């Protein structure tokens, strides 16, 4: 059975790749995230063709979705455990 490529699957995979790269290198600066987005988009050209989007559309989609990742290190990564009180 062939795999169906959907926009949600493509964007999810690209966000996952960006997140992994940021975690691996512990680099969350906006410029580094933007560079990784560009790299991921260029590496996924076949996927863009499958879902009929341009590189500019893909960049806009991934950039919009990655905003939530930028808050991740501040909320979740620390040398010390973070305690959340109600």
């Amino acid at each position: 059975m062939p795999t169906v490529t959907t926009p949600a699957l493509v964007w999810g995979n690209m966000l996952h790749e960006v997140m992994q790269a940021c975690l691996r290198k512990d680099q969350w600066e906006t410029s580094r995230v933007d560079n990784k987005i560009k790299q991921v988009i260029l590496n996924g050209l076949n996927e863009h063709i499958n879902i009929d989007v341009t590189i500019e559309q893909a960049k806009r989609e991934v950039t919009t979705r990655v905003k939530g990742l930028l808050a991740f290190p501040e909320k979740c990564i620390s040398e010390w455990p973070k305690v959340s009180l109600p």
Side-chain angles (χ1 to χ4, degrees), residues 1 8 11 13-15 21-22 24 27 29-31 34 36 43-44 48 50 52 55 59 76 79 81 84-86:
M1 184 172 180
W11 308 140
N13 286 340
M14 289 185 175
L15 286 174
C22 292
R24 191 176 309 115
Q27 295 176 337
E29 299 83 14
T30 303
S31 62
D34 287 345
K36 187 60 184 177
N43 290 343
H48 303 143
N50 288 337
D52 195 29
I55 290 174
K59 183 178 178 184
C76 303
E79 290 183 32
S84 177
L85 299 175

Side-chain angles (χ1 to χ4, degrees), residues 21-55:
C22 292
L23 281 169
R24 191 176 309 115
K25 294 186 177 186
D26 192 24
Q27 295 176 337
W28 299 90
E29 299 83 14
T30 303
S31 62
R32 293 195 184 265
V33 173
D34 287 345
N35 286 337
K36 187 60 184 177
I37 289 171
K38 290 175 189 172
Q39 180 184 4
V40 166
I41 287 171
L42 291 177
N43 290 343
L45 291 177
N46 287 337
E47 300 300 324
H48 303 143
I49 292 168
N50 288 337
I51 61 171
D52 195 29
V53 297
T54 66
I55 290 174

